[in-house]
Amino acid sequence: MIKVVVAGGTPEYTDKWRERFAKACSSMEFIGWDANGAAVDADYAVVWRPPAELFLRERRLKAIFNLGAGVDSLLCLPELPRGLPVVRVEDAGMARQMIEYAVHGLIHLTRNFDEYAGLQRAGQWKPLPPVLPRKWPVGVMGQGVIGGQVAQAIANLGYPVAGWSRSRRELQGVQSYAGAEELPAFLERTRVLVNVLPLTPETENILNRDTLGRLLPGGYLINVARGLHVVDEDLLALIDSGHLQGALLDVFREEPLPAGHPYWRHPKIRVTPHIAAISLEEETVSQILGKLEQLQAGQAISGIVARGNGY
Ligand code: NDP
Ligand code: OXD
């Protein structure tokens, strides 16, 4: 029988996913990672931020399935064998959640909901001028499985939208920018920047004084990708100088965001605890099981990470 080891997070987290897989598939054996146990000779692993020892102990693995879209916390492990295929989750309900999150952040900003909250506190009835989407050009960094859908959903609301990716992507209603050489032009036409990039050596610290400083005056950042994309001091300085009017941040260099971090109490920064899109159990389990079966049948699968590109 095919053996699949499930590893990562807390023992409860591992257990929850192991049970889900076992319930959905009786033709494979799903074994929860035991930090003090022996090798189980697993054929595959299903992981989220797994312990490095997994790769030292389980030597027969044919592929690793990551329980999320971002593989940064996996690829950074030196113990991960070089040639071992890593498969990431493709969408599985996350794009819809990410669209909701980005659209919420955008509309909250452009429709003046913070200001209306202040007016309510002051007991004032004061309609503000209507929003003109053309004054709010949106730029989405990352045009992959999730970023592409976010860009198109925002374009469908009537906002001018551009997308930036490594290779050129032609999505309906979205102006395409590609590669490092087109990044300045992409930023300089953008007022609301939505970051949906993977974290790689090329994208770490990509949101810094220079890049964020290129956004149109009154710019705003929505970061749903990874905290290591942002140079925190630069973001804070640009907000405090008034060049940016604020940020909605879901991800942080250190998670949970440490107590006392300036983001917690900054009046122009909104913080959420890495919930922009959560791997949905049913969709994720059925996607991974489908791919496991395809691999067992010798078929090609999608979602294999290009290790050289880092995503
Ligand atoms: P994909 O791999 O499908 O898409 C990645 C996109 O980023 C592609 O368009 C790719 O370009 C582009 N890209 C990668 N490197 C560069 C670069 N150096 N310069 C320009 N563009 C680049 O990823 P997903 O859409 O599935 O997910 C994106 C990220 O979202 C994840 O890696 C994860 O970090 C984050 N995430 C966060 C969640 C949360 O809850 N906060 C939940 C889920 C995901 P190209 O098209 O040319 O390949
Ligand atoms: C992911 C995440 O990468 O949840 O899937 O951050």
Side-chain angles (χ1 to χ4, degrees):
M1 197 187 241
I2 294 295
K3 287 187 193 167
V4 182
V5 64
V6 182
T10 59
E12 295 74 37
Y13 179 91
T14 299
D15 228 43
K16 177 189 83 167
W17 283 100
R18 193 204 64 75
E19 273 173 27
R20 265 287 185 176
F21 277 100
K23 210 166 146 194
C25 173
S26 54
S27 61
M28 298 184 202
E29 187 184 356
F30 293 90
I31 304 153
W33 167 257
D34 176 358
N36 303 311
V40 296
D41 283 338
D43 300 277
Y44 299 99
V46 173
V47 305
W48 179 247
R49 299 187 176 156
E53 301 85 81
L54 171 72
F55 305 109
L56 302 176
R57 200 192 288 172
E58 296 301 329
R59 296 291 195 173
R60 291 186 45 233
L61 293 172
K62 293 185 239 171
I64 308 281
F65 288 84
N66 187 55
L67 282 166
V71 288
D72 42 289
S73 61
L74 190 51
L75 299 196
C76 68
L77 297 176
E79 293 81 359
L80 182 72
R82 261 170 198 261
L84 189 61
V86 172
V87 187
R88 58 53 167 270
V89 167
E90 297 173 283
D91 191 345
M94 287 195 284
R96 179 191 56 75
Q97 297 173 66
M98 212 63 117
I99 288 168
E100 289 171 352
Y101 188 99
V103 167
H104 164 80
L106 175 68
I107 302 299
H108 186 93
L109 171 73
T110 61
R111 296 294 305 270
N112 302 305
F113 280 109
D114 276 339
E115 215 170 329
Y116 283 119
L119 288 167
Q120 180 183 355
R121 279 194 297 274
Q124 280 187 43
W125 181 276
K126 185 181 162 203
L128 299 169
V131 57
L132 297 176
R134 66 181 157 77
K135 293 200 171 166
W136 297 93
V138 177
V140 181
M141 298 177 98
Q143 293 291 279
V145 172
I146 298 175
Q149 295 189 61
V150 168
Q152 286 195 301
I154 295 174
N156 286 340
L157 293 175
Y159 286 81
V161 179
W164 183 67
S165 43
R166 225 158 54 92
S167 54
R168 190 161 308 284
R169 301 275 157 184
E170 301 293 353
L171 297 175
Q172 203 177 352
V174 180
Q175 197 182 347
S176 168
Y177 290 82
E181 56 294 345
E182 293 184 14
L183 180 59
F186 164 81
L187 295 167
E188 285 159 16
R189 52 73 61 203
T190 293
R191 190 160 171 206
V192 181
L193 184 65
V194 184
N195 177 33
V196 201
L197 286 170
L199 179 66
T200 69
E202 277 179 38
T203 64
E204 186 166 346
N205 296 326
I206 194 166
L207 300 175
N208 53 44
R209 192 176 296 264
D210 172 50
T211 52
L212 294 173
R214 288 178 188 267
L215 295 178
L216 290 170
Y220 192 86
L221 172 66
I222 300 176
N223 186 20
V224 290
R226 288 291 183 264
L228 286 162
H229 286 134
V230 181
V231 179
D232 292 339
E233 305 74 48
D234 292 0
L235 173 62
L236 286 163
L238 285 162
I239 293 176
D240 291 340
S241 74
H243 181 68
L244 299 183
Q245 58 175 297
L248 170 59
L249 306 174
D250 184 55
V251 284
F252 304 92
R253 298 186 87 85
E254 189 182 339
E255 295 181 1
L257 183 64
H261 193 287
Y263 286 159
W264 278 119
R265 292 193 173 274
H266 199 292
K268 295 185 174 165
I269 293 177
R270 301 170 70 207
V271 165
T272 53
H274 200 143
I275 47 71
I278 296 169
S279 299
L280 300 179
E281 287 179 22
E282 207 176 310
E283 286 84 343
T284 304
V285 167
S286 84
Q287 184 177 113
I288 291 177
L289 285 178
K291 288 183 181 181
L292 273 170
E293 277 157 22
Q294 280 177 285
L295 282 183
Q296 282 305 107
Q299 294 165 2
I301 59 166
S302 62
I304 296 183
V305 168
R307 297 274 292 266
N309 295 341
Y311 70 100

